[in-house]
Amino acid sequence: MNDLSHDQRVAGLKGLGSSRKRVEDARFTQGKGNYVDDIKMPDMLFGDFVRSQYAHARIRSVDTSKAVALPGVIAVLQAADLAPLGLHWMPTLAGDKQMVLADGKVLFQGQEIAFVIAEDRYICADAIELIEVEYEELPVVVDPFKALQPGAPVLREDLAGQTKGAHGERIHHNHIFRWEVGDKEGTEAVVAGADVVAEEMVYYHRTHPCPLETCGCVASMDKINGKLTLWGTFQAPHVVRTVASLLSGIPESSIRVVSPDIGGGFGNKVGVYPGYVCAIVASIVTGRPVKWIEDRMDNLMATAFARDYWMQGKIAATAEGKITGLWCHVTADHGAFDACADPTKFPAGFFSICTGSYDIPVAYVGVDGVYTNKAPGGVAYRCSFRVTEAAYFIERMIEVLAIKLGMDSAELRRINFIRKEQFPYQSALGWEYDSGDYHTAWDKALNAVGYDALRAEQAQRVADFKAGKTRSLMGIGLSFFTEIVGAGPVKNCDILGMGMFDSCEIRIHPTGSALARLGTISQGQGHATTFAQILATETGIPADQITIEEGDTDTAPYGLGTYGSRSTPVAGAATAMAGRKIRAKAQMIAAYLLEVHDNDLEWDVDRFVVKGVPERFKTMKEIAYAAYNQAIPGLEPGLEAVSYYDPPNMTYPFGAYICVMDIDADTGVADIRSFYALDDCGTRINPMIIEGQVHGGATEAFAIAMGQEIAYDEMGNCMTGTLMDFFLPTAWETPHYTTDFTETPSPHHPIGAKGVGESPNVGGVPAFSNAVHDAFRPFGLTQSHMPHDHWRIWRIANQLGLHG
Amino acid sequence: MSKMHLKLKVNGKSVETLCEPRELLIHVLRERLNLTGPHIGCETSHCGACTVDMNGMSVKSCTVFAAQVQGAEITTIEGLAGPDGMGVLQTSFREHHGLQCGYCTPGMITRAHRLLQENPNPTEEEVRFGMAGNLCRCTGYQNIVKAILHAASELNASKEAAQ
Ligand code: FES
Ligand code: FES
């Protein structure tokens, strides 16, 4: 190794910036992944739910006699069986509580009523068919505005008389909270006196993260040693351990939670679901391992919807287009229980990032959370908490304002961007944006797509359309977004009281390879690959010789898990900091070995070199060996480090996305001609993985904007319970993406990285939606709600009178 | 329910098991034969995670009953590896970052394997169309398509070299 050049040594590390191939792939491509449903234990039982057919009903009776008589059925659990343990209800992450099994009534279709435990999944399914539930139907409310009317049915009888919830006052029996940020009076005064005000209701519909693997777990209570082991699809295994301990009274030291390989999460696997609780109880009761795996219909109907925000906005500007104020009120449909997975003090997540990338002097946001007869959830579907709602809102409001001003919306964005020299920038709603260079990114994006030529082509197309020469319209969808990711800091971000730090523990072995364990968990982001790259650069140990482990609470240090793009900003920082601790000790060891003072050494890729004497050095490999075989005065043997990283601030990735589509006015079919995505996620750890994340996130955005929704009828029937009705794009309709980047490091992150996994969803949805709107702008459209499926696009054309 | 004696050829080996006729092939493979490569994503024929090769055709094993497969020849992802580990498609998926969480991957590769038998020289359009029965939530397909096109050219090149 010593004969290699500096550059060869850097390349050999496969550290930061290298498109290192993924270490996970060998097992996944050979079918050797280990997902929760692959776990098989001797004597294992299977559990599954009887679910409610009604959206709102009292449960008169549940007759389990035929089911219990079926050979192979072990037991059927109901709320009354869980009540003595205090487990028929469970706390949610949002400070509310949720029924584990129906306690007298059901509040949404698909709600869990009884848990059947049987020898295998077939017997379980047979038994569920044999259980007879008698319901008394109650009036249903699926519309959050109707839910808040004076005579609306009372959904949560358990909260009767409670005028205070976890987030302050409740003003109505179906009201959950009101959350307000910013200067209401000041904003209203600006709006009242503005040259121009654009006002619009922007709805971001209900959808679902729908990872390809559904949720599930295996619970195994070992009665001999009193240890509970829980394998499951958990995006935050340590939090699950803490919650399991608080609920069950079993000490945390006797609970082991393991997240094995996870088949995609996207927010679906953050929450705690009744299935986990029931599997644990069932294992305790039977003394046998119990597996619970959702089927797809359970998944779409009962666990973790996302969005469902009705956002009323007013944006004020001067006649020249300089924005002077932003006002927003959200009616947030949370379903039957408030089970959002947001940091405790943020019942609407980080929605107040809704001033976006613009320098807006004054702003106000108010959010009212509402109960309806729909499934609980409100998770961050591939975005940081409620950030995609915020980005969609502001990017639609910009377009609506541009229409009002008669301006090009690219130019309107440009004159309102926060300028480079304003960073760190204090937003009107209280955030400190760490770094950015929006103008550079925007110009690069517009040039890359040939924006002016596209506008000229579009004008010609409109003229041809009006002249009857074509039936095709063209939309140019612009989007510029700023994300806020990487929660902590601990001082204002916690989940159930757990500060949102993250952690890394490193052991360097005597022969110079290493093991690092983290508090996060990969669900496809390739942590085993990228975290090793961070460490390689920090410690000079080749990434190929660093093993990364996550997801087992018995071995990994406590961490808050992976969601909200927090792994790179928080655990990535912890990894770098732990690596630096290793290096600091290594420097002392090297100084001893080379018989010089610490300060006489400098770091060079993979070694400490005596300053000015390049031939005198000790490589990390040599140092590691010495750490274990030499008695060094004043130093403990060994080479290990732990870091718990509490980020000083969040990070603010940003980007510019542009979508061009052709729309057939007669069929409503939208053909995505091109999609350009420029991302600035600060320092780039692995460009190949970043590009993959952008492709995947943009495809989820495409799905959401163009067809995917969780829909209910007036009776509260979920109409989108299978993949027949719930749109997941195939390779055939998914567009081709062009990716690009600028690189503005985060000044407060040890390696300057900001996180990227969720940006394409946040920025992609407005790009697709704005393209649809833009196609119809010349004909008078200002706002039409997503998803823009063919029928809805056809309807826009029809309502604008384009069908003659 | 009474059980049937099922005889199959799986990944080139003769296997036998007892199972109920109504059992789904995916459960027979995963739970009785311990082949957990093929996955379950929907059980309604939509996602393709359970794709296996049956008598020379791609099938979604979540919608095939045990009673329908007596004597069938089945290849799962576990049977696609080359003698020294990863086969051409597998390597190509890795090289082109054609997977993220890996959950769709066994079904994808098994389907791609059959697609390239049906059409050894597909265009990008033909790959996208031919793979449309397999959903992926992570990758956006672009790199999967790239991986398959690249594998096709590699397989063709080695066929030519052999001739
Ligand atoms: S599990 Fe068979 S197609 Fe989805
Ligand atoms: S890689 Fe996750 S579903 Fe395809």
Side-chain angles (χ1 to χ4, degrees), chain A residues 177-294:
Chain A
F177 64 82
R178 172 166 295 167
W179 186 65
E180 292 182 289
V181 199
D183 177 356
K184 187 167 192 235
E185 277 170 29
T187 307
E188 285 171 358
V190 165
V191 169
D195 293 354
V196 180
V197 178
E199 190 169 353
E200 198 56 69
M201 171 66 93
V202 179
Y203 178 46
Y204 196 144
H205 59 292
R206 182 176 275 238
T207 180
H208 195 285
C210 194
L212 200 58
E213 177 202 39
T214 59
C215 300
C217 71
V218 176
S220 175
M221 181 74 197
D222 183 332
K223 290 217 165 153
I224 311 248
N225 64 18
K227 183 141 187 171
L228 172 70
T229 307
L230 187 63
W231 293 265
T233 47
F234 310 130
Q235 289 183 236
H238 282 97
V239 177
V240 170
R241 185 184 72 188
T242 302
V243 173
S245 171
L246 292 172
L247 287 180
S248 66
I250 302 171
E252 262 188 286
S253 54
S254 293
I255 302 177
R256 175 179 172 217
V257 177
V258 185
S259 295
D261 289 327
I262 294 185
F266 318 123
N268 193 182
K269 294 165 180 172
V270 175
V272 174
Y273 297 122
Y276 304 153
V277 178
C278 289
I280 293 172
V281 173
S283 178
I284 294 173
V285 172
T286 60
R288 293 168 64 178
V290 176
K291 181 187 272 189
W292 166 72
I293 303 284
E294 282 182 325

Side-chain angles (χ1 to χ4, degrees), chain A residues 302-379:
Chain A
T303 51
F305 80 91
R307 328 299 194 223
D308 218 347
Y309 259 34
W310 292 90
M311 304 173 284
Q312 181 71 41
K314 293 177 207 169
I315 188 163
T318 65
E320 295 74 42
K322 188 80 190 104
I323 300 170
T324 51
L326 179 72
W327 183 98
C328 178
H329 178 267
V330 181
T331 302
D333 185 339
H334 284 223
F337 306 98
D338 187 13
C340 289
D342 292 318
T344 307
K345 295 187 192 102
F346 296 88
F350 304 150
F351 183 78
S352 53
I353 194 73
C354 66
T355 52
S357 316
Y358 311 103
D359 184 14
I360 301 180
V362 62
Y364 163 78
V365 166
V367 182
D368 282 301
V370 184
Y371 291 123
T372 59
N373 289 118
K374 299 183 192 169
V379 300

Side-chain angles (χ1 to χ4, degrees), chain A residues 21-22 25-26 28-32 35 37-38 40 121-122 126 209-210 212-213 262-264 266 295-296 381 523-524 688-689 692-693 695-696 699-700 723-724 728-732 734 736-737, chain B residues 22-24 27 30-31 34 36-37 39 41-43 46-47 77-78 81 85-86 90 93-95 97 99-106 109 124-125 128-129 132 135 137-143:
Chain A
K21 304 297 177 214
R22 303 196 332 158
D25 293 357
F28 289 153
T29 54
Q30 296 182 74
K32 298 292 181 210
Y35 303 88
D37 199 14
D38 299 342
K40 206 171 170 181
R121 62 178 91 208
Y122 285 80
D126 290 342
C210 194
L212 200 58
E213 177 202 39
I262 294 185
F266 318 123
D295 69 19
R296 179 56 61 194
Y381 170 7
Q523 307 126 39
M688 176 192 82
I689 287 182
Q693 291 284 316
H695 290 172
T699 303
E700 290 186 343
L723 298 186
M724 183 74 107
L728 296 184
T730 70
W732 182 246
T734 298
H736 191 278
Y737 305 102
Chain B
R22 65 164 175 172
E23 270 182 48
L24 301 173
H27 291 138
R30 290 176 50 83
E31 290 176 16
N34 289 323
T36 54
H39 296 138
C42 68
E43 290 173 309
H46 290 102
C47 76
I77 185 73
E78 287 91 343
M86 288 158 76
Q90 286 154 325
F93 266 65
R94 177 171 201 251
E95 287 302 306
H97 191 30
L99 64 149
Q100 292 180 24
C101 78
Y103 201 75
C104 70
T105 312
I109 292 181
E124 168 163 358
E125 274 221 320
R128 285 187 178 264
F129 190 76
L135 298 175
R137 292 291 288 141
C138 301
T139 65
Y141 305 104
Q142 196 158 319
N143 289 342

Side-chain angles (χ1 to χ4, degrees), chain A residues 701-752:
Chain A
F702 168 66
I704 294 168
M706 305 307 288
Q708 182 179 88
E709 68 176 321
I710 294 287
Y712 290 86
D713 69 10
E714 284 293 304
M715 308 275 291
N717 294 309
C718 178
M719 323 238 290
T720 48
T722 73
L723 298 186
M724 183 74 107
D725 313 295
F726 185 80
F727 174 53
L728 296 184
T730 70
W732 182 246
E733 58 266 294
T734 298
H736 191 278
Y737 305 102
T738 305
T739 57
D740 204 347
F741 67 99
T742 56
E743 194 162 347
T744 314
S746 167
H748 63 77
H749 187 279
I751 60 168

Side-chain angles (χ1 to χ4, degrees), chain A residues 535-701:
Chain A
L535 268 186
T537 297
E538 292 294 339
T539 64
I541 296 170
D544 290 345
Q545 293 172 29
I546 301 172
T547 301
I548 301 287
E549 283 184 9
E550 297 179 302
D552 182 339
T553 59
D554 264 12
T555 54
Y558 205 103
L560 270 277
T562 296
Y563 41 85
S565 274
R566 62 187 299 283
S567 295
T568 298
V570 192
T575 305
M577 297 311 273
R580 285 173 196 180
K581 288 185 186 175
I582 295 280
R583 214 159 85 185
K585 183 168 179 185
Q587 184 164 6
M588 292 193 266
I589 297 171
Y592 172 80
L593 297 173
L594 292 162
E595 299 178 342
V596 294
H597 191 273
D598 297 359
N599 294 339
D600 296 332
L601 294 174
E602 59 190 2
W603 177 251
D604 175 36
V605 186
D606 56 356
R607 64 194 58 185
F608 279 103
V609 183
V610 178
K611 285 180 190 161
V613 197
E615 62 283 3
R616 293 196 63 212
F617 61 83
K618 286 289 169 192
T619 64
M620 193 51 127
K621 197 174 162 81
E622 293 168 315
I623 295 167
Y625 193 62
Y628 291 91
N629 86 338
Q630 297 226 4
I632 301 173
L635 278 185
E636 286 180 6
L639 195 50
E640 300 192 0
V642 184
S643 169
Y644 281 75
Y645 187 78
D646 176 10
N649 186 5
M650 284 183 251
T651 59
Y652 296 75
F654 59 92
Y657 288 6
I658 300 173
C659 170
V660 183
M661 65 171 74
D662 297 299
I663 291 178
D664 184 322
D666 296 320
T667 61
V669 172
D671 190 23
I672 314 296
R673 191 200 302 185
S674 64
F675 193 98
Y676 169 89
L678 178 149
D679 274 282
D680 191 320
C681 56
T683 304
R684 290 153 54 85
I685 299 170
N686 183 321
M688 176 192 82
I689 287 182
I690 291 172
E691 193 193 56
Q693 291 284 316
V694 174
H695 290 172
T699 303
E700 290 186 343

Side-chain angles (χ1 to χ4, degrees), chain B residues 6 10 35 58 64 76 82 87 100 105 146-148 159:
Chain B
L6 186 65
V10 179
L35 292 167
S58 294
V64 177
T76 68
Q100 292 180 24
T105 312
K146 236 200 256 175
I148 296 171
K159 250 187 263 161

